Amino acid sequence: MARTASTTTTTATRRSTRNLKREKPDLAAVASPPPAKKIKAEPVTPSKPKFSAAASIVKEEPTTPSPAKKPIKKTAQTPEDKAAVLQSKKLSSYAAYSSKTSPYPDFAHPTPDECRTAHKILAQLHGDRHRPTTVIAPKDSAGCGNSPTVLDALVRTILSQNTSDKNSSRAKRSMDQVYGGSDKWEAIVEGGQSKLQKSIESGGLSVVKSKVIISLLEQVHAQHGLYSLDHLFDEEDDEECMRQMLSYKGIGPKTASCVLLFCLGRSNFAVDTHVHRLTGLIGWRPTNASREQTYAHLDARIPDDEKYPLHILLIAHGKKCPECKAGGRASGECELRKAFRKGRKVKEEDFVKEKEVEEPIKDEMKEELKEEDIKEEQDA
């Protein structure tokens, strides 16, 4: 009996062990599923194309911002940068028309004969003009380049801009009285801009003009060590004189050409508002020519011996002639306009009274007071 029980127990144990050995692979399979089952489970996740599109959008947004949301910031120019740009533009513009070349090479007027005809007519109306042998600075008026010293001529011309002779002369007398006489440059600089502004306020645009004068004096002294530009008298090249004057902030072509014509005694045809208006009326320039382009054109075409008298006579005529002054109306009586129509000399019998065909002249002085000269000459 005991032997039989032991044998039975041993046999049962062996069977249990064999069963466990057979079950082990199944347990392992349950604990760690085969790789094939993982691969089959993957399709339940979002598809690859959808995920890639979303990821692409997220990556692109920071690199391509909307211009409306993130505008490009512009770097603000300093006053020094702006002045340098304007000065460069001014010198480049002058260089384009230097060497006595016209910006309108195909515009044939005025011819030398037309210039002499105009000179003769204007001399009969207003008296002839001749260049003086000695330049004397007027004591009771500002003048326009009328001074034996270059710096004084520049300051007088600045005072004369965009105002009447009466007002500019009043401003010059007040300035001399405040500082104890003319050419007191050191006292003017030491007194500062506000003091100068108050002294010349009767001349108009005193804020701008006082800034320009102080700036000019400081630039000249910093460059040459003294308040003088009289070395330009020894400069033989007219264009070099112009370039040196134009290099100063606040000095433009009109101011520099006046000083070249009246102070330095060179053959140069300055163009102010009267000259610009009249030469347009008689057809000596293209209708749309700017002041600067008109200067370059007329300086190239008018003979040297006619530049001084024609400049003065055209200004005198522009101030006095009822038809040709600013705001005037054509009546057919102006001798100069009878002789010329759009730059062409005409016979008397071909003349048609202009009051029948021409509209009233635009008041260009009103345009001037919108700072055409000041912007052109003192902004640069």
Side-chain angles (χ1 to χ4, degrees):
M1 293 282 297
R3 185 177 180 181
T4 305
S6 174
T7 303
T8 303
T9 303
T10 302
T11 303
T13 301
R14 288 175 179 172
R15 287 176 181 172
S16 177
T17 302
R18 285 197 299 268
N19 291 336
L20 288 172
K21 286 181 180 179
R22 285 196 296 266
E23 291 174 357
K24 279 182 182 179
D26 296 335
L27 292 172
V30 172
S32 32
K37 290 183 178 181
K38 280 189 176 182
I39 294 172
K40 291 179 181 179
E42 284 181 359
V44 300
T45 60
S47 63
K48 189 174 182 180
K50 290 183 180 179
F51 178 80
S52 299
S56 176
I57 293 173
V58 172
K59 290 180 180 179
E60 288 177 1
E61 284 180 355
T63 57
T64 56
S66 172
K69 293 181 180 179
K70 295 183 179 181
I72 298 174
K73 293 182 179 180
K74 295 182 180 180
T75 304
Q77 281 189 327
T78 64
E80 292 76 13
D81 292 337
K82 185 177 180 181
V85 170
L86 291 169
Q87 179 178 334
S88 176
K89 182 179 178 181
K90 178 174 59 173
L91 291 170
S92 297
S93 179
Y94 173 72
Y97 303 134
S98 59
S99 301
K100 303 295 183 182
T101 57
S102 168
Y104 306 104
D106 297 327
F107 194 87
H109 305 288
T111 65
D113 185 48
E114 289 171 342
C115 292
R116 294 184 177 90
T117 298
H119 181 180
K120 182 178 179 180
I121 293 171
L122 293 172
Q124 290 174 346
L125 293 172
H126 309 290
D128 207 352
R129 300 292 194 275
H130 302 282
R131 185 187 291 276
T133 56
T134 304
V135 179
I136 301 174
K139 294 182 179 180
D140 297 326
S141 65
C144 187
N146 295 326
S147 178
T149 63
V150 178
L151 192 56
D152 186 42
L154 284 169
V155 171
R156 288 171 180 269
T157 307
I158 291 169
L159 290 175
S160 70
Q161 291 172 354
N162 286 321
T163 192
S164 65
D165 292 341
K166 182 179 179 180
N167 287 341
S168 64
S169 297
R170 186 187 296 122
K172 184 64 171 71
R173 290 194 299 269
S174 174
M175 179 177 166
D176 293 346
Q177 184 177 3
V178 168
Y179 295 101
S182 186
D183 304 349
K184 302 297 183 180
W185 309 131
E186 186 173 352
I188 291 172
V189 173
E190 290 179 354
Q193 184 260 329
S194 59
K195 181 178 179 179
L196 178 60
Q197 177 188 333
K198 186 175 181 180
S199 72
I200 64 173
E201 60 185 358
S202 60
L205 296 172
S206 59
V207 175
V208 178
K209 292 178 181 180
S210 59
K211 288 180 180 179
V212 170
I213 291 172
I214 292 290
S215 175
L216 172 64
L217 295 176
E218 290 176 342
Q219 290 175 83
V220 170
H221 192 273
Q223 185 174 357
H224 300 288
L226 71 166
Y227 296 107
S228 175
L229 288 173
D230 287 350
H231 67 276
L232 293 179
F233 283 105
D234 299 325
E235 176 59 58
E236 295 182 0
D237 187 359
D238 293 353
E239 291 184 10
E240 178 59 26
C241 289
M242 284 288 290
R243 279 191 289 269
Q244 288 194 36
M245 286 188 281
L246 291 174
S247 70
Y248 294 108
K249 182 181 178 181
I251 305 302
K254 187 254 183 179
T255 295
S257 62
C258 283
V259 174
L260 199 66
L261 177 65
F262 293 109
C263 175
L264 295 173
R266 311 299 174 89
S267 296
N268 202 268
F269 194 74
V271 174
D272 75 340
T273 182
H274 301 291
V275 174
H276 187 256
R277 181 177 61 255
L278 281 173
T279 53
L281 291 175
I282 63 177
W284 283 12
R285 62 169 174 85
T287 304
N288 61 347
S290 67
R291 182 87 62 82
E292 187 173 310
Q293 291 167 331
T294 299
Y295 160 71
H297 175 71
L298 295 178
D299 193 50
R301 294 202 63 88
I302 295 176
D304 286 349
D305 62 326
E306 292 290 351
K307 288 177 180 176
Y308 181 90
L310 265 181
H311 172 82
I312 297 179
L313 288 169
L314 284 169
I315 291 176
H317 191 71
K319 292 178 179 179
K320 297 178 181 179
C321 177
E323 297 183 54
C324 298
K325 68 182 182 180
R329 184 184 294 272
S331 62
E333 301 300 325
C334 175
E335 295 298 326
L336 180 66
R337 296 171 74 176
K338 284 181 181 180
F340 295 92
R341 186 177 304 118
K342 299 303 178 186
R344 177 175 61 90
K345 282 205 306 180
V346 297
K347 297 179 181 180
E348 185 66 25
E349 57 267 25
D350 293 335
F351 177 71
V352 178
K353 286 188 178 294
E354 295 179 351
K355 65 180 180 180
E356 299 175 359
V357 295
E358 187 173 49
E359 297 179 356
I361 301 170
K362 184 178 181 180
D363 187 351
E364 295 191 8
M365 184 55 72
K366 291 180 180 179
E367 298 289 325
E368 297 300 311
L369 294 179
K370 293 179 181 177
E371 296 191 351
E372 181 177 343
D373 264 350
I374 296 300
K375 183 177 180 181
E376 175 182 302
E377 301 194 23
Q378 277 122 8
D379 203 28

